[in-house]
Amino acid sequence: MSDSFTVLWTHDTCRALRKAGRVGERPPVAFSGVHSSLPAWTGARAGDEVYALHVNRREVFVVSRMRVIDMGRRDCCGIAPAAWEDPAYPGHGDWSILGAGGCGAEAVHVDATPVRFDVAVPGGLLARLAWRNRRGQTRGLKYVVDGRLERSASLQGFYRLTSESADELADLVDGTAP
């Protein structure tokens, strides 16, 4: 059985995606890291889904839903860097803005929906979203006021969704397909 996760893409990442003209394109890769600036995709396996979220003006948006194909360097990634100034994943230069240069970055090959910034998570769903840890304990999203997110701190990281929340996010994304 597959799991679903969320990862928060920062303003800088989303701005870079727009500037590079990546809106409407499907990312073939994302990156996991060892530093909080590039969350580790701990626990993700092939077949799992990851919802890339973005917060803008207290609204939460689903930017892309990515199904994990595999993790690690493949031929498409290009030659591993020989020196620190070499690009980490030259084969994915177009998508390096998703974290290729991050601390301990590791490629995560994905089958993704197109990048978009118009799929807002409704306030009611935002208040119901829940995540579960490995011990089975659940937690909701903090700082939701009147259907809007006051602070994004509880979204920062890589977190496993409850099956109910995963189903609701899937329905949202499937219902807004371009």
Side-chain angles (χ1 to χ4, degrees):
M1 182 171 177
S2 63
D3 286 321
S4 295
F5 300 84
T6 59
V7 65
L8 183 67
W9 283 356
T10 65
H11 283 293
D12 289 341
T13 298
C14 292
R15 187 177 305 114
L17 285 168
R18 284 183 180 108
K19 185 176 180 182
R22 299 288 168 242
V23 176
E25 295 182 18
R26 297 174 184 266
V29 67
F31 295 92
S32 171
V34 296
H35 186 268
S36 61
S37 64
L38 185 60
W41 290 35
T42 307
R45 302 177 318 260
D48 289 345
E49 290 189 339
V50 179
Y51 292 88
L53 304 178
H54 175 60
V55 179
N56 188 12
R57 295 188 175 116
R58 300 177 13 209
E59 277 191 282
V60 178
F61 296 87
V62 178
V63 179
S64 183
R65 175 177 57 194
M66 301 169 281
R67 183 172 310 250
V68 176
I69 297 171
D70 63 29
M71 299 173 88
R73 184 175 286 280
R74 295 187 343 196
D75 289 342
C76 62
C77 296
I79 298 170
W84 67 270
E85 65 270 356
D86 294 340
Y89 294 92
H92 295 300
D94 290 349
W95 294 95
S96 63
I97 50 185
L98 295 180
C103 186
E106 181 178 330
V108 180
H109 296 92
V110 297
D111 178 22
T113 61
V115 169
R116 53 193 294 196
F117 295 97
D118 62 346
V119 182
V121 177
L125 175 54
L126 196 60
R128 288 191 309 274
L129 285 179
W131 292 263
R132 66 176 167 83
N133 64 20
R134 292 179 190 213
R135 294 183 301 266
Q137 298 168 321
T138 61
R139 71 163 178 89
L141 192 56
K142 296 179 182 178
Y143 312 115
V144 176
V145 177
D146 297 329
R148 297 175 68 88
L149 188 64
E150 296 293 320
R151 293 188 208 159
S152 62
S154 58
L155 278 179
Q156 293 172 352
F158 188 82
Y159 299 111
R160 185 183 321 266
L161 287 160
T162 63
S163 58
E164 298 81 11
S165 290
D167 290 344
E168 289 194 82
L169 281 178
D171 289 345
L172 174 68
V173 171
D174 292 341
T176 57

